Amino acid sequence: MFFMKKLSSILHRLRSLGQRRTAKQEIDEELRFHIEQRTAENIAAGMTPEDAAREARKRFGNVQSVREECRETRGAGFGEATLQDIRFGLRMLRKNPGFTAVAVLTLALGIGANTAIFSLLNAILLRPLPLREPERLVWISNPIPGYGLPGLTRRSNLLDWRELTHSFESLGAYIGFADRISYTLTGRGEPKRLEGALVTGSFLATLGAAPGLGRGFLAEECQRNGPLAIILTDRFWRGQFQADAGIVGKYLTINNKSWTVVGVLPPSFDFSSTFIPGARSVDFLCPLRDVPGYENWGNMMAVVGRLKSGVTVAAAQAELDVLNAQLQKAHPERGMFGSQVMALRERIGGSFRRQFLVLAGAAATVLLIACANLSNLLLARAVARRKEMAVRVALGADRRRLIRQLLIESLLLSGLGALLGLPVAYLATNAFAQSQAFSIPLLQSARVDLPALSFTLLVAVAAALIFGMAPALQLSQATPEEGLRDAGRGTSSGRSRLRLRRGLIVSEVAMTCALLIAAGLLMRSFSRLLEVHLGFRPAQAAAWRIAPNRAFANHQEESAFYRELLDRVRALPGVESATLGATLPLELNDIVRVHLVGAPSPPANMPGIFLREVGGIDYFKTMGIPLRSGRDFGSHDAGSSPKAIVVNESLARTMWPGRDAVGQALVLEAPPDPPVDCRVIAVVGDVRQSALEQAAGPEMYMMDWGGRELIVRTSQALQATVPAVRAALREFNPGMATDEFKPLEQIIDRVTSPRRLVARLLALFSTLALLLAAVGIYGVLAGSVNQRTHEIGIRLALGSTRGAVMRLVLKEGMSLAFVGCFIGVLGALALNRAMQGLLFGVSPSDPLTIGLSALLLLGVATVACWLPARRAARVDPMVALRHE
Amino acid sequence: MKPMMSTPPRTDIAQTNTEPMIQLRDLEKCYKTKAGFTYVLRQINLDINAGEFITIMGPSGAGKSTLLSILGMYDHTWEGEFLFLDHPVRRLGAKERALLNKHYVGFVFQQFHLLDDLTVAENLDIPLSYRDIRKSEREALVADVLDRFNIVGKKDLYPSQLSGGQQQLVAVARAIIAKPKLLLADEPTGNLHTDQGREIMELFKKLNQEGTTIIQVTHSETNATYGQRIVRLKDGWMEK
């Protein structure tokens, strides 16, 4: 709505500015002209100048009323004339279907690409969050890694902040590792694994996201023994219950307990897309109940706050800094912690700003190249239309009127392009929004909406002005003399037109070159990223998220259950090994702190240690993590004391530099639990834990039977083993949901998805640009050969060889390509800074990428030049001269 | 008096004027080339009264079309004096010259120069629309001219569907639809066969009798007989 209003206001102002002033001036000039003319006639008839002027004014009548009448006529005339121009423009487009098709298709691609990118950009970066007064919402992260999950905060801190700060109207949170809690829906057909998010009672109120149906959580539902309540997400409600409004108040059996559905979230608020993009879609929210044990989980709360009216982010930050220092003194058991306050909008989409701005720049460049091409086509057509314009001038058209007529033709072209581009944009945007392949927040909310339509309109108008203005200005310079006699070849206007056309080609090539280099750099970055040594082998391995549909009386019973489960899976044909784990690499990781036995506390320079809980033997073999020294976990290590641990090479190097880590002891700090004594039984290779771009940090593995991930490595095709594993699990524990299966390679796909998206889109845009540039070069050279047929005929008649003619044309085209390429390389180097943060393992001025991009462009340009050159060389001199 | 933009110009102005409609004094036109100045018109002195029918004749390259272009105020790069209805054309700005042209001058080309993508009626409408005349008035004027030229049945045809004579007929109709006081014609029958040419010349004669001043450029001695006076040009000079 905002965009529409703004656009309409700008257009209105521009039109009135341009028209009102010139129309008023013209009317006044014309009225003055009439009076002067009558005065001159009167003087010629013998009157004195004073009498002549007086008589002229008298005879003319009331100037003001005539002026008003003229304006009235003008106003109506403008509308009529515009309609006339539109009718004529449409007729011209129909008359040249080939040209119209090429122009409309080119524009459809350019405008469609820009609309699609705008729709993504709007969803991720621009559109206000669909929450009440979203500008007051902040994200509070913990910049100091401690026990728990990185970036998150202890529950006790949240409670203290809520009680002791004055900056916030309210604070809420969700549990950062809620996806580790398994939920299974039963009693409604096949058991179904659900994804639940644990949130504080104040979470929805803080965000300002009231349920679309039903109500939020009541205070008693957040109490330890309060009633069990859940709020469904809109997507789950529509998918599972076909949007049945009667579901509110009904009971669902989840994990064999009865939960009341108290509400349904509004469709505008997609929890998963906003907070945990790329993860499995959350099906319901349930309240974090007041259980003291949660404190033992360490940093687990992802905190959001609503600032009080008038309070700035900086003020809230300052208040929390002071409070945190006091809390750390009062509660040393909580360890080091801090808080970093940032606008929620910035937190959610901010990290993708640069990528999407680069994409928007690339899409705009493609459209500019398309405009340059169209401008060139129109300039070529201008030669044929020059006489028409000269006649129009001879019939009384002024320059403004001609420009308007020509621009209306351009607007019709770009309007048709936009109409055709919109479905392209709609399909592309929907494909991205519905794809689960990209872990980008709010991507799923991208759509071609009213702002996108307004943007399309704006782009279409801008494109029409860009590609139509130069030809319109050129054509409107036509003089009636050209209508009186034929415009000769090689006139100065013809030469300046050719210069302009060549300039457009050079700029097209330059933009294409810069785009190719940018795409090349991102593609190389992406390929470098895929070459990163992960530390584990994702190929031919998969993970099932499992949740036993039964309760265990004790730890032994649970261990026995998992042992048998693993034995059954291992016995399946094609299964090489199987194990269990609490988490997978490159997903959420627990952080703990350790110190050597006898040392008072972890050294100050010691970073947090990633802790991975292994749920069965053969973990390293199944994951493909190399054992450097020592032995793998055995069944007896689950309950050992001191606790048997495996460390990675980084931790071994940090703790025992120059010594063998196997057999060494250390103490694991996990407050408020007592410290745990550990003994190293093996050292394994480093594994990338958080991101492919980040080197592995210190990590330790600990064994305890169980876990939510069943990891299976197969000796045959993965897909062939899936049904057998699923059947075995179902047979072993019939109530267990087994529908969630994930090849480990999918983890790599997920973490690299934002880069993949940007690299692929940029590659697509640069391919489009390359194609357009080739068409542009071909068009200009073909036109030039056409114009020079006579000259080529004379050259051939005078004894020039066909090879020389070919070289002549090739030289003309390739010189433009070389100049464009050179400018493009300089442009790409100048844009180094924009690319810097997007690259991995490759420099923005990487000579190989720049060289290959330029070579590719010059190669394509050579082909585009060769075709008209070959035609020139085939000119029959006799035919060419006879036609002249 | 009504402004030109809402109605066609009145036709009584010239009659009230005792001076010639056109006065040329020592008019010269030259092009600058690498070899120096090349003159195409030399010391042209000519008076043309309102209501006259003048023929300009001369061999190719004599400067006939250039003179016509200057008289139509399309060309302003010349030296000397040119008064049009007492307006010193040389001292007028481009806009004022365009206004004079728009109000008083109609032009007929040898090549007809009808706009191929417009129907006959639309071709007739175009000069009126450039004069910001209301649509209802334009429609009336177009209907009147179609009737007058006996081409009502052809109003929805495109130029390519007409014969050469019919095309020139439409071109003349287009030239006079805005009721110009001066009609300039550059070889108006050059592309027509004899009968068609005669029809056009008869039409010119009639228009002249109705008060329109006509200046034609022609190579045809027969066509020249329709005029009252012949101005002969040779190498840019006016023959005495």
Side-chain angles (χ1 to χ4, degrees):
Chain A
M1 206 59 198
F2 170 79
F3 284 95
M4 279 297 276
K5 276 185 185 167
K6 201 78 186 163
L7 179 69
S8 146
S9 147
I10 290 169
L11 288 178
H12 177 73
R13 269 190 229 164
L14 278 177
R15 211 180 64 174
S16 344
L17 268 180
Q19 269 173 20
R20 211 182 296 157
R21 205 183 66 81
T22 48
K24 187 174 180 299
Q25 265 180 356
E26 273 184 16
I27 289 168
D28 288 346
E29 273 169 21
E30 196 155 335
L31 297 184
R32 194 169 55 244
F33 175 80
H34 276 283
I35 293 171
E36 281 172 9
Q37 182 186 305
R38 170 58 61 187
T39 307
E41 284 168 8
N42 289 344
I43 293 171
M47 288 187 184
T48 63
E50 292 77 19
D51 288 346
R54 195 178 311 118
E55 197 280 338
R57 278 198 298 273
K58 190 175 158 194
R59 187 156 174 191
F60 193 85
N62 186 330
V63 177
Q64 188 56 35
S65 70
V66 174
R67 187 182 284 140
E68 289 305 319
E69 192 189 331
C70 287
R71 278 189 199 154
E72 213 173 275
T73 310
R74 266 289 166 109
F78 179 79
E80 281 170 17
T82 306
L83 277 177
Q84 201 175 26
D85 288 345
I86 291 173
R87 272 200 303 272
F88 181 74
L90 286 172
R91 203 178 289 173
M92 291 300 284
L93 298 187
R94 270 203 309 273
K95 195 186 158 194
N96 302 287
F99 166 79
T100 306
V102 169
V104 169
L105 276 177
T106 308
L107 284 165
L109 284 175
I111 295 175
N114 274 276
T115 302
I117 292 295
F118 173 83
S119 301
L120 302 185
L121 194 82
N122 188 33
I124 296 161
L125 296 176
L126 304 177
R127 192 190 297 151
L129 295 172
L131 303 165
R132 180 172 57 86
E133 294 180 88
E135 67 285 353
R136 284 168 58 193
L137 292 173
V138 292
W139 175 266
I140 306 171
S141 65
N142 177 8
I144 303 169
Y147 176 58
L149 295 178
L152 305 190
T153 299
R154 282 175 178 277
R155 186 162 179 259
S156 49
N157 290 342
L158 170 65
L159 297 177
D160 283 338
W161 292 344
R162 192 179 280 161
E163 192 182 343
L164 301 171
T165 58
H166 304 284
S167 299
F168 301 99
E169 191 174 284
S170 65
L171 287 165
Y174 65 88
I175 300 289
F177 49 73
D179 64 334
R180 294 186 192 178
I181 303 169
S182 296
Y183 298 97
T184 305
L185 173 71
T186 49
R188 287 179 178 262
E190 284 282 295
K192 183 172 179 160
R193 226 189 74 75
L194 299 186
E195 205 69 44
L198 276 168
V199 301
T200 61
S202 58
F203 180 69
L204 290 178
T206 301
L207 290 176
L213 274 180
R215 57 167 175 80
F217 296 120
L218 301 175
E220 63 260 32
E221 288 161 350
C222 303
Q223 298 302 313
R224 194 176 310 174
N225 296 314
L228 296 172
I230 56 171
I231 295 175
L232 307 182
T233 59
D234 182 74
R235 187 190 296 249
F236 179 59
W237 174 57
R238 288 177 195 279
Q240 180 73 27
F241 303 107
Q242 290 75 49
D244 172 19
I247 193 74
V248 175
K250 290 200 174 139
Y251 295 95
L252 296 182
T253 307
I254 298 173
N255 290 358
N256 298 322
K257 287 181 181 166
S258 200
W259 300 69
T260 311
V261 177
V262 298
V264 179
L265 286 178
S268 57
F269 176 51
D270 185 346
F271 178 88
S272 312
S273 172
T274 309
F275 292 108
I276 46 170
R280 192 172 178 272
S281 243
V282 164
D283 302 308
F284 66 88
L285 306 185
C286 63
L288 175 69
R289 293 146 77 81
D290 185 18
V291 180
Y294 281 139
E295 183 61 14
N296 297 351
W297 294 8
N299 293 328
M300 62 169 188
M301 312 290 278
V303 183
V304 291
R306 175 171 289 278
L307 294 173
K308 279 183 181 162
S309 183
V311 175
T312 63
V313 169
Q317 177 73 64
E319 187 186 22
L320 277 177
D321 288 345
V322 172
L323 179 62
N324 286 340
Q326 292 167 354
L327 288 174
Q328 276 176 14
K329 269 188 193 163
H331 301 282
E333 77 281 2
R334 293 186 194 171
M336 296 285 287
F337 63 91
S339 46
Q340 191 175 0
V341 186
M342 66 166 81
L344 186 61
R345 190 73 187 80
E346 181 62 22
R347 148 77 194 182
I348 288 171
S351 56
F352 294 95
R353 177 169 289 117
R354 191 180 289 231
Q355 282 98 318
F356 277 90
L357 288 182
V358 165
L359 278 181
T365 307
V366 170
L367 185 59
L368 278 178
I369 294 169
C371 285
N373 254 2
L374 281 181
S375 220
N376 250 333
L377 279 175
L378 288 173
L379 283 169
R381 271 173 27 118
V383 178
R385 292 191 69 181
R386 212 159 168 79
K387 213 156 230 179
E388 175 204 331
M389 293 300 137
V391 172
R392 284 180 182 274
V393 174
L395 295 175
D398 57 26
R399 198 173 176 205
R400 201 161 45 90
R401 179 75 193 265
L402 291 185
I403 291 176
R404 192 178 74 189
Q405 181 200 321
L406 293 164
L407 283 183
I408 281 178
E409 287 177 27
S410 300
L411 278 168
L412 285 172
L413 273 179
S414 73
L416 289 173
L419 276 181
L420 201 64
L422 272 175
V424 175
Y426 180 82
L427 291 175
T429 307
N430 273 11
F432 284 121
Q434 282 165 13
S435 166
Q436 300 290 324
F438 307 109
S439 54
I440 296 174
L442 300 172
L443 182 64
Q444 284 162 22
S445 66
R447 59 186 176 271
V448 178
D449 51 10
L450 198 58
L453 291 177
S454 312
F455 175 81
T456 309
L457 184 64
L458 194 70
V459 167
V461 172
L465 290 177
I466 292 170
F467 72 76
M469 193 52 96
L473 288 175
Q474 280 246 349
L475 265 177
S476 66
Q477 283 171 347
T479 62
E481 288 165 278
E482 290 176 63
L484 299 173
R485 65 175 79 95
D486 286 340
R489 252 176 227 282
T491 58
S492 61
S493 67
R495 277 196 297 274
S496 76
R497 196 159 47 238
L498 199 59
R499 267 201 301 277
L500 181 59
R501 296 190 64 192
R502 285 175 174 164
L504 285 169
I505 286 298
V506 167
S507 61
E508 261 184 69
V509 173
M511 286 190 280
T512 305
C513 185
L515 210 53
L516 274 175
I517 291 171
L521 288 171
L522 284 177
M523 297 288 277
R524 284 206 74 201
S525 287
F526 186 62
S527 104
R528 284 278 164 93
L529 198 65
L530 295 182
E531 286 165 11
V532 159
H533 182 63
L534 300 168
F536 68 98
R537 282 188 297 122
Q540 285 199 293
W544 270 262
R545 201 169 266 198
I546 53 167
N549 185 29
R550 54 164 292 187
F552 300 107
N554 52 46
H555 195 64
Q556 282 75 18
E557 194 178 314
E558 189 180 3
S559 301
F561 173 87
Y562 284 115
R563 256 192 216 121
E564 196 184 337
L565 183 149
L566 281 180
D567 287 344
R568 285 193 181 216
V569 173
R570 282 189 194 117
L572 293 171
V575 172
E576 196 177 295
S577 62
T579 189
L580 290 159
T583 59
L584 296 169
L586 298 165
E587 295 197 333
L588 286 175
N589 298 292
D590 286 330
I591 289 181
V592 293
R593 297 181 78 80
V594 294
H595 61 88
L596 294 172
V597 178
S601 62
N605 61 350
M606 175 66 127
I609 310 294
F610 290 99
L611 171 67
R612 202 167 298 285
E613 286 184 43
V614 173
I617 56 169
D618 284 349
Y619 179 83
F620 301 108
K621 179 183 170 192
T622 310
M623 288 298 294
I625 299 171
L627 196 65
R628 302 294 186 210
S629 60
R631 63 167 178 84
D632 199 350
F633 285 121
S635 298
H636 55 282
D637 288 321
S640 60
S641 180
K643 192 84 183 160
I645 58 166
V646 172
V647 298
N648 72 349
E649 287 171 307
S650 289
L651 182 57
R653 259 197 316 272
T654 311
M655 299 294 281
W656 304 281
R659 284 185 289 157
D660 186 6
V662 177
Q664 302 285 358
L666 53 75
V667 179
L668 168 69
E669 298 272 356
D673 287 344
V676 181
D677 290 330
C678 304
R679 171 96 39 209
V680 178
I681 61 161
V683 176
V684 293
D686 285 349
V687 171
R688 301 255 160 160
Q689 299 108 338
S690 309
L692 292 189
E693 293 90 337
Q694 282 175 21
E699 184 170 21
M700 60 189 279
Y701 299 83
M702 192 177 270
M703 162 123 180
D704 199 1
W705 281 104
R708 57 175 202 140
E709 303 284 358
L710 165 68
I711 307 160
V712 179
R713 177 165 295 281
T714 62
S715 55
Q716 58 186 47
L718 199 54
Q719 289 299 337
T721 319
V722 173
V725 174
R726 191 169 283 165
L729 293 176
R730 217 172 277 160
E731 186 192 334
F732 178 64
N733 183 207
M736 183 157 64
T738 59
D739 52 339
E740 211 178 324
F741 147 81
K742 174 165 64 182
L744 292 194
E745 281 172 330
Q746 217 175 69
I747 302 173
I748 314 301
D749 285 349
R750 189 182 61 77
V751 294
T752 56
S753 63
R755 279 184 188 275
R756 193 173 63 240
L757 174 73
V758 176
R760 281 189 186 169
L761 280 177
L762 216 55
L764 176 72
F765 290 153
S766 55
T767 308
L768 263 179
L770 191 62
L771 200 68
L772 289 172
V775 170
I777 294 173
Y778 170 80
V780 164
L781 276 196
S784 169
V785 167
N786 261 350
Q787 267 187 336
R788 293 172 71 183
T789 306
H790 181 61
E791 176 207 323
I792 292 166
I794 293 174
R795 282 175 185 271
L796 289 169
L798 291 177
S800 170
T801 63
R802 296 194 182 274
V805 167
M806 203 158 173
R807 278 195 298 279
L808 184 79
V809 178
L810 273 174
K811 191 179 154 197
E812 182 187 348
M814 289 311 290
S815 60
L816 299 179
F818 270 106
V819 173
C821 236
F822 180 69
I823 296 172
V825 169
L826 291 183
L829 290 174
L831 292 171
N832 257 355
R833 275 186 63 192
M835 297 296 293
Q836 197 90 51
L838 301 177
L839 302 181
F840 173 77
V842 58
S843 144
S845 50
D846 178 47
L848 184 65
T849 309
I850 292 175
L852 284 176
S853 304
L855 269 180
L856 174 64
L857 181 55
L858 290 174
V860 171
T862 308
V863 176
C865 294
W866 180 74
L867 294 170
R870 193 181 60 165
R871 217 176 67 203
R874 285 180 180 175
V875 163
D876 180 343
M878 294 322 292
V879 173
L881 297 176
R882 209 167 32 241
H883 276 144
E884 274 304 303
Chain B
M1 181 192 291
K2 278 203 160 189
M4 297 170 268
M5 55 188 65
S6 55
T7 58
R10 298 178 316 108
T11 54
D12 63 334
I13 297 174
Q15 279 75 6
T16 63
N17 199 337
T18 53
E19 293 294 321
M21 177 190 246
I22 290 166
Q23 298 172 64
L24 303 181
R25 297 286 175 268
D26 294 328
L27 189 131
E28 297 206 322
K29 162 94 183 172
C30 65
Y31 295 107
K32 195 178 174 186
T33 61
K34 281 180 185 169
F37 289 98
T38 304
Y39 281 87
V40 286
L41 288 174
R42 302 300 303 261
Q43 293 178 19
I44 304 294
N45 288 288
L46 178 66
D47 284 354
I48 299 171
N49 291 318
E52 271 198 282
F53 189 158
I54 302 283
T55 304
I56 302 173
M57 299 188 80
S60 294
K64 305 183 298 291
S65 293
T66 305
L67 181 58
L68 209 61
S69 178
I70 291 169
L71 291 172
M73 286 165 279
Y74 300 129
D75 186 343
H76 64 282
T77 54
W78 40 266
E79 297 294 322
E81 195 66 55
F82 171 15
L83 293 179
F84 184 86
L85 292 172
D86 283 341
H87 291 284
V89 176
R90 196 172 158 65
R91 286 196 286 278
L92 295 179
K95 272 192 177 176
E96 289 166 310
R97 274 200 315 275
L99 271 176
L100 270 182
N101 166 280
K102 207 151 109 175
H103 286 227
Y104 295 109
V105 181
F107 212 109
V108 178
F109 306 97
Q110 179 182 356
Q111 307 284 351
F112 326 137
H113 288 322
L114 295 176
L115 295 171
D116 294 337
D117 300 301
L118 300 183
T119 62
V120 166
E122 286 170 336
N123 260 291
L124 295 180
D125 181 71
I126 272 282
L128 301 176
S129 79
Y130 288 149
R131 283 158 177 80
D132 293 319
I133 295 169
R134 278 180 202 274
K135 195 177 180 191
S136 53
E137 284 181 58
R138 292 203 323 255
E139 282 170 351
L141 281 165
V142 169
D144 180 44
V145 167
L146 284 170
D147 188 37
R148 203 168 136 206
F149 282 69
N150 214 10
I151 47 175
V152 176
K154 313 240 178 298
K155 73 182 175 70
D156 293 323
L157 298 183
Y158 285 92
S160 58
Q161 296 168 299
L162 301 176
S163 69
Q166 287 167 335
Q167 285 191 42
Q168 192 59 306
L169 196 63
V170 176
V172 175
R174 185 181 65 178
I176 59 104
I177 195 164
K179 298 183 182 166
K181 294 176 65 56
L182 173 64
L183 186 62
L184 303 173
D186 190 8
E187 295 275 9
T189 63
N191 280 356
L192 302 179
H193 60 69
T194 318
D195 289 348
Q196 289 172 328
R198 193 182 311 115
E199 272 178 43
I200 294 296
M201 290 316 297
E202 287 297 334
L203 181 60
F204 278 178
K205 191 174 168 184
K206 192 165 167 253
L207 287 170
N208 178 242
Q209 283 164 354
E210 288 168 2
T212 308
T213 309
I214 297 178
I215 304 172
Q216 68 163 337
V217 163
T218 184
H219 285 108
S220 158
E221 292 291 346
T222 313
N223 285 358
T225 60
Y226 285 85
Q228 297 138 2
R229 188 150 68 100
I230 297 175
V231 173
R232 292 188 188 275
L233 290 179
K234 191 177 179 189
D235 297 331
W237 297 89
M238 218 173 99
E239 288 185 350
K240 302 287 175 191

